[in-house]
Amino acid sequence: MSAQDRLTDGLYGLGWSTVKKLPEPAAVRLGRTIADLAWKQRGKGVQRLESNYARVVPDASPERLAELSRAGMRSYLRYWMESFRLPAWSAERIKGGVEVKDLHHLTEGLAAGKGVVLALPHLANWDLAGAWVTTKLGIPFTTVAERLKPETLYDRFVAYREGLGMEVLPHSGGTAFGTLARRLRDGGLVCLVADRDLSASGVEVDFFGDTARMPAGPALLAQQTGALLLPVTLWYDDSPVMRGRVHSPVDVPESGTRAEKTSVMTQALADAFATGIADHPQDWHMLQRLWLADLDPAKGTT
């Protein structure tokens, strides 16, 4: 393991071991302080966040974009402070930490025995939402995790999410899709973060007026298993409670090839994500390049 990898793994380990012991007000203050320092330094992540916000709020002045990026960094650090502390939260704290509109789409879908795919963007705290689903609703679910470097960091994230009641599959290796399909055919729940896919299998969508690429997996799983596909958006307000909304189901088109159906359904997901992001842009934690026009043509990646 390189020195950089050891440092990265050590910092995350410090977060989970130390931040979770802080009183909540102290953790909130720490997160805000770190966010403001990072924002003032205007590193690549902050600049990219601001550039992405410029697409979401195209008429924003430079001053407004600066305000948004500062609020965005505070929201991003709120995500991390909550995530580091989640393993120490009581069941009651988790149950009271989220409020979701139109939850009936999820509960009715599961009650019908069809299986449900929840697809969401990088808004607010998707880990907290997952913990709320397993704790408040008592519903287990399966998700996937990108293989991070170093491997020890990936193992930390898997252990963290499994500790919150999730079944976590590695994104790479080729077996995740089949396992997810089996869970859905058994009437289970699958949750996938689905607003960024730079792989060759990504589906091109119109997103805030330009082309981006999003994963085909949610649409393909719904087609192959008959599961209900539901977009979800999350946001913070000024309270300690995170808010969320389950959007109306994305239907499988009655005609067209599999690729054509997948394109239509993924565009519908993108449209639902855009609604939530436009309403709460500061809670969209996209510190990477997303739109194809922003990618380095020599590398094809960020």
Side-chain angles (χ1 to χ4, degrees), residues 23-226:
E24 192 157 342
V28 170
R29 288 194 300 270
L30 177 61
R32 181 161 291 200
T33 299
I34 296 172
D36 288 349
L37 286 172
W39 178 77
K40 288 175 182 176
Q41 291 175 353
R42 292 196 59 78
K44 289 184 178 180
V46 173
Q47 292 180 48
R48 175 50 51 192
L49 184 67
E50 208 163 282
S51 176
N52 289 338
Y53 287 161
R55 290 181 178 272
V56 175
V57 191
D59 58 347
S61 65
E63 293 78 15
R64 172 61 177 148
L65 285 176
E67 290 174 2
L68 268 178
S69 65
R70 184 179 189 183
M73 290 305 295
R74 288 182 170 185
S75 176
Y76 185 50
L77 264 294
R78 175 173 172 175
Y79 160 79
W80 279 112
M81 292 298 110
E82 287 179 347
S83 294
F84 286 144
R85 288 175 49 75
L86 262 176
W89 279 17
S90 68
E92 290 308 309
R93 176 68 181 89
I94 293 173
K95 290 177 182 179
V98 182
E99 185 176 282
V100 179
K101 297 179 180 179
D102 299 325
L103 188 62
H104 65 92
H105 291 306
L106 169 60
T107 55
E108 291 171 2
L110 290 172
K114 298 173 61 176
V116 174
V117 179
L118 294 182
L120 60 159
H122 287 81
L123 272 169
N125 192 337
W126 45 97
D127 286 327
L128 172 56
W132 183 82
V133 167
T134 60
T135 306
K136 172 74 173 182
L137 304 183
I139 300 171
F141 68 88
T142 305
T143 188
V144 297
E146 181 182 358
R147 279 204 174 276
L148 303 171
K149 296 294 183 181
E151 191 75 15
T152 51
L153 181 57
Y154 170 77
D155 292 340
R156 284 186 190 274
F157 270 96
V158 170
Y160 157 64
R161 288 177 172 139
E162 288 180 342
L164 298 175
M166 313 174 194
E167 179 187 22
V168 183
L169 307 175
H171 186 270
S172 58
T175 61
F177 188 91
T179 302
L180 295 173
R182 286 194 296 274
R183 299 291 182 269
L184 292 168
R185 290 193 184 98
D186 290 340
L189 176 63
V190 165
C191 300
L192 301 171
V193 179
D195 57 344
R196 184 174 185 263
D197 185 350
L198 304 180
S199 71
S201 61
V203 178
E204 291 190 3
V205 295
D206 180 81
F207 197 53
F208 290 102
D210 209 343
T211 303
R213 210 177 273 140
M214 295 187 181
L220 288 172
L221 284 167
Q223 290 177 60
Q224 188 163 314
T225 68

